Amino acid sequence: MLGVTENRHNLRPDRNVQDHPPNNELWVTLIAAVQESQDTHSFERLFNHFAPRIKSFLMRSGADATLAEECAQDVMATVWQKSHLFDPARASVSTWIFTIARNKRIDAIRKQRQPQPEDLYWMEDHEPDHEAVMSLQQESDILAQALTELPEKQRVLVEQAYFGDMSHSEIAKKTGLPLGTIKSRIRLALDRLRHSVDVKTVK
Amino acid sequence: MTKHIKHHLTDDLISGYSCGSLTEAVSLAVATHVSMCDDCRAALESYDALGGGILETVDIDTTQDVSFAATMAKIKALPDAPRTKPVATNVPAPLVDYIGTRLENVNWRPIGMGVKQAILPTSKGAIARLLYIPSGTAVPDHGHNGLELTLVLQGAFRDESDEFKAGDIEVANEDMNHTPVAFGDQDCICLAVTEAPLRFSRMLHRVVQPFLKI
């Protein structure tokens, strides 16, 4: 819990996570409803939460509003179509949707294919272990919370790497910071996140 | 999938893949290794989880609604996703789009001394090729101008640094000169990705390099 008190002054009041605490277990239930019964109502709740985030993510990555709208619709359509590939023991819903949005970004903005690792077809042969699912989803909540508590400088760098079409050296050019500084700040941010997840999981 | 993997991806490659900043050829090597290596899959999942956290906490531009109706219309227009049964293949999934499902059916071109190659169609910035190296044969002594990734798909090779077996990936940088030699019962097939053309040490190779695209 050290990180929380230490960094409270860095919390930004406009962060949406403050208004709506992350609730990964809810998203897992909704995806399951989409998968099992093509439930439009559950999908709409997922849509209302994730679609604006995907669009903002893509706009921060350099897409204009029209392209970002088009891509956000495509990403959510993929979520509907591929819900059977979501494995709640391996990823949170936001992580899974992030990978779809990232691949869409590479495809639509960089006009490049992104080869994907082989899918692990878990649905076909076994039910996921309930405890593994619970702990993974809770860890993901903690990670999202921890991200909002990072010192601003570190947070911005981690964001840029992920919004990026930007390598570390391109971030260096843009921010005027030496490459070594950027790499060590990103590493520091990751260590801090790992630490904060560890501490909170142990508690 | 493979439990004996000794040589893994670097942190930079895994985080680069997660952020989406790698070239297609390098991503192909990363995705193929991850398909074969549970450790690197777990490491990639951690970086992706960080990306998920970024997506969850991104500042939302409230003036930018996404149309639910348009999305549902797209979904209705989608063809039924075929849930294909996996076919018998000895090619890791990410490579199937590039070379098909059987290593035996690769369209090889000989490049001398029994060594064969097939260049894969990827976008520019790096070159991906399959190399076929008969057991006991050496790939000509070479250095390289940039990053070189060599992932073993079948058989094994050794060089000055170590031995590499199926699933192992060697990550070599520009100051490394090495001579890989295939060994073992099977001929060696590797996925090799280079960020810049290899520079062979010997004169002849330097002359033919532009023609062979190696």
Side-chain angles (χ1 to χ4, degrees), chain A residues 18-97:
Chain A
Q18 305 309 316
D19 318 326
H20 308 284
N23 193 352
N24 283 296
E25 283 175 65
L26 170 66
W27 310 135
V28 170
T29 327
L30 294 176
I31 287 271
V34 171
Q35 204 267 313
E36 283 154 24
S37 49
Q38 286 77 53
D39 179 36
T40 316
H41 179 66
S42 298
F43 182 68
E44 190 168 8
R45 291 180 69 189
L46 286 163
F47 185 94
N48 290 339
H49 182 78
F50 285 106
R53 285 172 170 76
I54 298 163
K55 188 171 183 182
S56 300
F57 170 76
L58 292 167
M59 289 181 73
R60 291 282 300 269
S61 305
D64 63 31
T66 316
L67 181 62
E69 168 77 26
E70 195 65 26
C71 291
Q73 291 176 14
D74 290 344
V75 170
M76 288 310 296
T78 304
V79 167
W80 174 281
Q81 191 184 28
K82 298 204 166 164
S83 56
H84 62 284
L85 290 177
F86 171 68
D87 180 350
R90 297 199 77 94
S92 68
V93 174
S94 46
T95 297
W96 182 59
I97 294 181

Side-chain angles (χ1 to χ4, degrees), chain A residues 6-184:
Chain A
E6 222 177 40
N7 299 311
R8 188 156 304 274
H9 62 281
N10 285 310
L11 290 181
R12 294 170 51 173
D14 58 335
R15 289 262 172 248
N16 51 62
V17 78
Q18 305 309 316
D19 318 326
H20 308 284
N23 193 352
N24 283 296
E25 283 175 65
L26 170 66
W27 310 135
V28 170
T29 327
L30 294 176
I31 287 271
V34 171
Q35 204 267 313
E36 283 154 24
S37 49
Q38 286 77 53
D39 179 36
T40 316
H41 179 66
S42 298
F43 182 68
E44 190 168 8
R45 291 180 69 189
L46 286 163
F47 185 94
N48 290 339
H49 182 78
F50 285 106
R53 285 172 170 76
I54 298 163
K55 188 171 183 182
S56 300
F57 170 76
L58 292 167
M59 289 181 73
R60 291 282 300 269
S61 305
D64 63 31
T66 316
L67 181 62
E69 168 77 26
E70 195 65 26
C71 291
Q73 291 176 14
D74 290 344
V75 170
M76 288 310 296
T78 304
V79 167
W80 174 281
Q81 191 184 28
K82 298 204 166 164
S83 56
H84 62 284
L85 290 177
F86 171 68
D87 180 350
R90 297 199 77 94
S92 68
V93 174
S94 46
T95 297
W96 182 59
I97 294 181
F98 159 74
T99 62
I100 298 171
R102 173 201 63 205
N103 296 343
K104 188 73 204 166
R105 188 190 81 211
I106 294 167
D107 178 56
I109 303 181
R110 283 177 69 187
K111 314 277 183 220
Q112 185 182 301
R113 273 211 281 180
Q114 172 83 340
Q116 314 280 314
E118 184 162 21
D119 284 316
L120 304 170
Y121 288 92
W122 64 279
M123 277 291 210
E124 253 86 271
D125 30 32
H126 69 95
E127 279 294 305
D129 173 49
H130 186 65
E131 258 180 49
V133 171
M134 289 270 289
S135 76
L136 188 128
Q137 299 306 324
Q138 282 165 4
E139 262 176 47
S140 304
D141 288 349
I142 295 166
L143 178 66
Q145 185 62 40
L147 263 172
T148 67
E149 292 159 7
L150 273 184
E152 198 59 23
K153 276 182 183 168
Q154 290 175 17
R155 187 190 154 82
V156 166
L157 285 166
V158 173
E159 278 190 341
Q160 282 185 327
Y162 277 87
F163 291 141
D165 246 352
M166 263 202 300
S167 65
H168 294 172
S169 45
E170 286 163 331
I171 298 175
K173 242 182 262 162
K174 195 175 161 190
T175 59
L177 291 168
L179 189 58
T181 310
I182 288 174
K183 282 197 170 170
S184 63

